Amino acid sequence: MSQLALVTGATSGIGEAFAERLADDGYDLIIVGRNKDRLEAFAATHPSVSVRTVAADLSTDIGVDTVAEICAAEPLTLLVNNAGVAHYMPLAELSADKARELVHVKVVAPTMLSRAAVAGMQERGGGQIINVAGMIAFSGPADKSVMPRRAVYAGALAHLVTMSQTLSAELEDTGVQVQVLCPGVVATEFHTRQGLDMSVVPRMSAEDVVTAGLRGLELGEVVCAPGVEDAGLLDAVFHADLAAFAGQSPALATRYRTKSTTRSFRAE
């Protein structure tokens, strides 16, 4: 039986690299993107596998619903939630439209597509979901000197990390595998579209990111960080998270028991 993968954001960068690698591995493909011409060009150059193109804008409810219906209806072996948009800027300068687009593409879309795909994967006893995030998901504690400004973007990627970890636990023993793929800076069109010149910054290739993601599935990694040599650093983060989670109590922490010096105001 042929394997079927759906890849979002498949017209460039990491998504295109995933589509290329999966086609080489004999997967039939459903490729999703905004650029219809690029989708059709990819299909035309890969006649050895079945390639279905879906032009959809995942920053819209219609686009998300269209692709979610496909995820629910098709016997997907692999879902790659890769579509992305950056909009790096301070929150006060981020327009409502850009904020909405970012949250739709990196939070709403992967959440709803995973939801649509996972029931069928469970029924079939197997399947894989890769959510493409990034190492910026771990940058929350950084001080103001760290650029670029990225509050919403970092928060969206952190959502993907936590959702993937929790979903992986939910699906234990079902045969369905979940991974969040967290590269650092990658040599793609991604930053150029945001007007950022990354030419002097060392960057990983999209092909290496895909290699890491697929190998990470074989290794059983839930969080795959292609550029982190010492995996123990990630383990330390996760152990600290769980230690904080386990350290909670119904009693008010001592540091909050001192008398407040804040003036209270009351209406006269």
Side-chain angles (χ1 to χ4, degrees), residues 12-255:
S12 65
I14 295 171
E16 184 177 20
F18 261 113
E20 289 280 1
R21 182 72 59 83
L22 295 170
D24 288 345
D25 289 345
Y27 279 76
D28 290 332
L29 295 172
I30 302 171
I31 54 174
V32 179
R34 301 185 194 191
N35 191 314
K36 183 179 179 181
D37 291 341
R38 285 192 177 188
L39 293 171
E40 292 179 348
F42 182 96
T45 56
H46 294 80
S48 62
V49 295
S50 171
V51 181
R52 175 181 173 185
T53 65
V54 180
D57 183 352
L58 295 180
S59 71
T60 67
D61 286 335
I62 292 174
V64 171
D65 290 347
T66 296
V67 182
E69 288 176 5
I70 296 170
C71 290
E74 297 292 339
L76 297 183
T77 309
L78 172 63
L79 167 63
V80 181
N81 283 310
N82 166 76
V85 61
H87 297 329
Y88 296 148
M89 63 189 68
L91 182 58
E93 298 173 15
L94 184 66
S95 71
D97 286 344
K98 287 184 176 180
R100 189 176 294 110
E101 179 183 22
L102 175 52
V103 172
H104 244 86
V105 172
K106 293 308 292 182
V107 176
V108 175
T111 300
M112 300 307 292
L113 302 193
S114 296
R115 175 191 172 278
V118 74
M121 289 181 175
Q122 285 182 278
E123 289 175 4
R124 294 187 294 274
Q128 297 168 321
I129 298 172
I130 297 177
N131 293 314
V132 179
M135 289 306 294
I136 283 178
F138 300 97
S139 70
D143 64 32
K144 65 180 294 185
S145 67
V146 176
M147 296 288 285
R149 304 295 181 226
R150 66 212 179 282
V152 179
Y153 184 70
L157 299 193
H159 164 80
L160 288 176
V161 173
T162 301
M163 183 184 79
S164 299
Q165 290 173 306
T166 309
L167 181 58
S168 177
E170 285 182 14
L171 296 172
E172 189 174 345
D173 300 325
T174 67
V176 182
Q177 191 174 5
V178 182
Q179 177 194 97
V180 60
L181 179 57
C182 299
V185 183
V186 184
T188 68
E189 300 173 12
F190 185 75
H191 295 96
T192 305
R193 291 175 180 173
Q194 312 305 315
L196 299 174
D197 181 5
M198 306 295 285
S199 59
V200 299
V201 178
R203 294 172 290 171
M204 182 176 286
S205 71
E207 290 75 19
D208 279 351
V209 174
V210 171
T211 295
L214 296 178
R215 176 59 178 151
L217 287 175
E218 294 175 354
L219 294 172
E221 292 183 347
V222 178
V223 180
C224 174
V228 176
E229 181 64 31
D230 182 1
L233 295 173
L234 296 171
D235 291 337
V237 171
F238 306 144
H239 287 315
D241 285 345
L242 290 175
F245 180 70
Q248 62 185 317
S249 163
L252 184 65
T254 304
R255 64 186 178 278

